Amino acid sequence: MTLRRFCLLSLCVMLASCQSHDEAPAQAPASTATASGDRDALSQARWQGFGDMRFGMDEAAFRKAWSGELKGGAEAGSDCAMYAPVWAKTPFELTFMLEHGRFVRYDVRGDKETAPGGGKVGMAKADVMALYAGKVRQWTSKYDATASVFRVDGESGAVLIFDIGADGKVKAWRVGVPPQIDYVEGCS
């Protein structure tokens, strides 16, 4: 994935350097280049899935799209599996959920990725509210009365959920499809 981004960035730089120097480059109005849009372009997190992986794809297509080594799986007798890249630390920075053999959700606990729309781990509650203004439904966390959960309905039926700690900062976020997006404990 990183090599692909590097090649794409290199191609963009080469194309930009080919423009004519006889005329001044056109500048986009400040209102069209949002900070959120810039962050989204660098992230693999999407409303439709993660990187080349799309919600609803079967496990074989999911593994081919990931093309890296994964650890984890399903508990005995369960049809729900959680996988993490082998480089992910504990608690896992990034996990993928498959249920009934289909990719249905991903969870982020590290600050490397940016959620669709611009949210990140470590971001203040007020900043999340501003980014997703008018779209956030909020309730108290199941396990901590001083923490909260934000839900944002996204594209194509996907949902984004932020776990906000008692300190008012994003601790984790996840994107997926119902009903799996609402499983508080993952596959448990």
Side-chain angles (χ1 to χ4, degrees):
M1 299 287 174
T2 304
L3 180 59
R4 188 177 300 161
R5 278 196 220 152
F6 176 75
C7 290
L8 183 59
L9 181 60
S10 297
L11 179 62
C12 290
V13 169
M14 288 184 340
L15 288 174
S17 67
C18 291
Q19 77 178 14
S20 171
H21 296 287
D22 294 340
E23 54 188 74
Q27 291 186 344
S31 62
T32 63
T34 66
S36 172
D38 294 342
R39 284 190 303 265
D40 288 350
L42 300 175
S43 181
Q44 294 189 67
R46 309 268 183 273
W47 287 111
Q48 303 82 8
F50 189 88
D52 293 333
M53 301 168 298
R54 298 292 177 252
F55 295 130
M57 66 177 20
D58 66 29
E59 186 169 350
F62 166 84
R63 287 182 175 278
K64 183 177 180 184
W66 175 254
S67 72
E69 195 174 341
L70 295 166
K71 56 187 171 184
E75 295 289 324
S78 176
D79 197 21
C80 184
M82 295 295 289
Y83 295 100
V86 294
W87 51 259
K89 299 174 188 150
T90 302
F92 295 125
E93 299 170 54
L94 175 64
T95 55
F96 305 107
M97 179 188 285
L98 281 80
E99 190 171 52
H100 306 296
R102 301 279 176 195
F103 176 45
V104 293
R105 164 178 151 178
Y106 61 94
D107 294 49
V108 177
R109 290 177 185 81
D111 60 1
K112 292 180 183 175
E113 289 296 331
T114 302
K120 278 186 83 79
V121 168
M123 185 174 274
K125 180 179 183 175
D127 293 336
V128 174
M129 291 293 284
L131 276 175
Y132 302 93
K135 299 177 184 175
V136 175
R137 286 188 283 155
Q138 177 181 352
W139 60 87
T140 303
S141 171
K142 178 179 177 179
Y143 296 108
D144 182 354
T146 62
S148 54
V149 177
F150 287 3
R151 180 186 182 103
V152 179
D153 292 328
E155 299 170 9
S156 305
V159 174
L160 167 61
I161 293 182
F162 289 99
D163 293 321
I164 312 290
D167 64 353
K169 303 247 185 227
V170 174
K171 300 299 179 201
W173 54 269
R174 61 188 183 265
V175 176
V177 293
Q180 295 87 357
I181 189 65
D182 296 311
Y183 297 173
V184 177
E185 295 89 11
C187 286
S188 300

